[in-house]
Amino acid sequence: DAGVIQSPRHEVTEMGQEVTLRCKPISGHDYLFWYRQTMMRGLELLIYFNNNVPIDDSGMPEDRFSAKMPNASFSTLKIQPSEPRDSAVYFCASSFGPGGGGELFFGEGSRLTVL
Amino acid sequence: AQSVAQPEDQVNVAEGNPLTVKCTYSVSGNPYLFWYVQYPNRGLQFLLKYITGDNLVKGSYGFEAEFNKSQTSFHLKKPSALVSDSALYFCAVRGYSGGGADGLTFGKGTHLIIQP
């Protein structure tokens, strides 16, 4: 398996623009997670899905952020409108296993810079 | 709410010496505990996990971790450090609250620097 695939790897945009980050989880995994990493706040869980259903989105910073998982092989994280404080590395991860015992497999991340 | 504390921002160890990276956690119910490593400009890589059973867990690259329920700790260890072990290490906890697994909560990370 190719692992978790994220795109784009790098995105530079201007404040106010819409940003869409994409993730393809490992086939057969039933959990999908979106994390954000910054120097100041470390790794923050934004939202996670189980069997394509959002389970906990309490980490989503505000209404400008939204995430979808239309099927088992694809998820998006959208920021509209983007702001400079959204600059971070966004990671997608997937795992398998009832009860949460399965380890997370991370993608390489999408580095977002908002000017 | 679940949480993880990594009290050291940085740990310096001479090559060949044993290393320990500390982690304590707080979670409702039985914890699932994990260690991950991150190299520059890369995603996190799984090292090892504790779910149940033996308190000493062995993982990748010669690393091991000891689960201590009374101290709510899960310290990462290696008997002999290599320069290539230098990286950012994250401890993480995941609770299981009835209806399903919670999201994985990470500590702030510890920079491990192995000096030749």
Side-chain angles (χ1 to χ4, degrees), chain A residues 98-102, chain B residues 27 30-34 50-52 92-96 101 104:
Chain B
V27 68
N30 293 323
Y32 298 145
L33 295 159
F34 302 79
Y50 171 83
I51 303 300
T52 186
V93 66
R94 191 173 188 184
Y96 183 75
L104 202 61

Side-chain angles (χ1 to χ4, degrees), chain A residues 9 31 33 35 37 40-43 45 48 91 95 98-108 111, chain B residues 32 34 36 38 41-44 46 49 51 88 90 94-96 100-108:
Chain A
R9 289 295 311 278
Y31 282 88
F33 303 79
Y35 283 87
Q37 185 178 33
M40 292 298 295
R41 301 175 69 92
L43 273 164
L45 176 62
Y48 73 97
F91 287 103
S95 73
E103 61 267 29
L104 273 62
F105 292 81
F106 281 78
E108 292 294 297
R111 181 176 296 275
Chain B
Y32 298 145
F34 302 79
Y36 285 81
Q38 185 180 31
N41 301 312
R42 302 297 301 276
L44 279 71
F46 169 76
K49 66 180 178 182
I51 303 300
L88 181 59
F90 290 96
R94 191 173 188 184
Y96 183 75
D102 298 324
L104 202 61
T105 299
F106 286 85
K108 294 286 189 183

Side-chain angles (χ1 to χ4, degrees), chain B residues 8-27:
Chain B
E8 302 152 318
D9 289 338
Q10 183 170 305
V11 171
N12 295 285
V13 178
E15 186 177 25
N17 283 2
L19 68 87
T20 299
V21 183
K22 296 179 180 177
C23 170
T24 58
Y25 67 90
S26 174
V27 68

Side-chain angles (χ1 to χ4, degrees), chain A residues 17 19 22 25-26 48 70 72 82 85 92 97 99 101 103 111 113-114:
Chain A
Q17 296 298 306
V19 173
R22 298 172 177 80
I26 292 173
Y48 73 97
S82 58
R85 59 191 168 128
C92 175
E103 61 267 29
R111 181 176 296 275
T113 302
V114 183

Side-chain angles (χ1 to χ4, degrees), chain A residues 7-105:
Chain A
S7 65
R9 289 295 311 278
H10 301 274
E11 174 96 6
V12 179
T13 190
E14 293 188 347
M15 182 174 62
Q17 296 298 306
E18 178 179 293
V19 173
T20 299
L21 307 178
R22 298 172 177 80
C23 175
K24 176 178 168 51
I26 292 173
S27 177
H29 282 188
D30 56 349
Y31 282 88
L32 184 139
F33 303 79
W34 283 100
Y35 283 87
R36 177 171 69 176
Q37 185 178 33
T38 60
M39 289 290 290
M40 292 298 295
R41 301 175 69 92
L43 273 164
E44 301 173 277
L45 176 62
L46 300 178
I47 185 172
Y48 73 97
F49 297 82
N50 181 213
N51 292 322
N52 312 340
V53 176
I55 301 301
D56 184 356
D57 65 354
S58 60
M60 297 286 260
E62 47 199 272
D63 292 344
R64 297 185 297 106
F65 285 69
S66 62
K68 294 181 179 179
M69 192 165 186
N71 57 62
S73 59
F74 184 67
S75 177
T76 60
L77 178 68
K78 186 174 293 186
I79 308 172
Q80 167 62 19
S82 58
E83 296 182 3
R85 59 191 168 128
D86 302 330
S87 297
V89 181
Y90 292 81
F91 287 103
C92 175
S94 68
S95 73
F96 172 75
E103 61 267 29
L104 273 62
F105 292 81

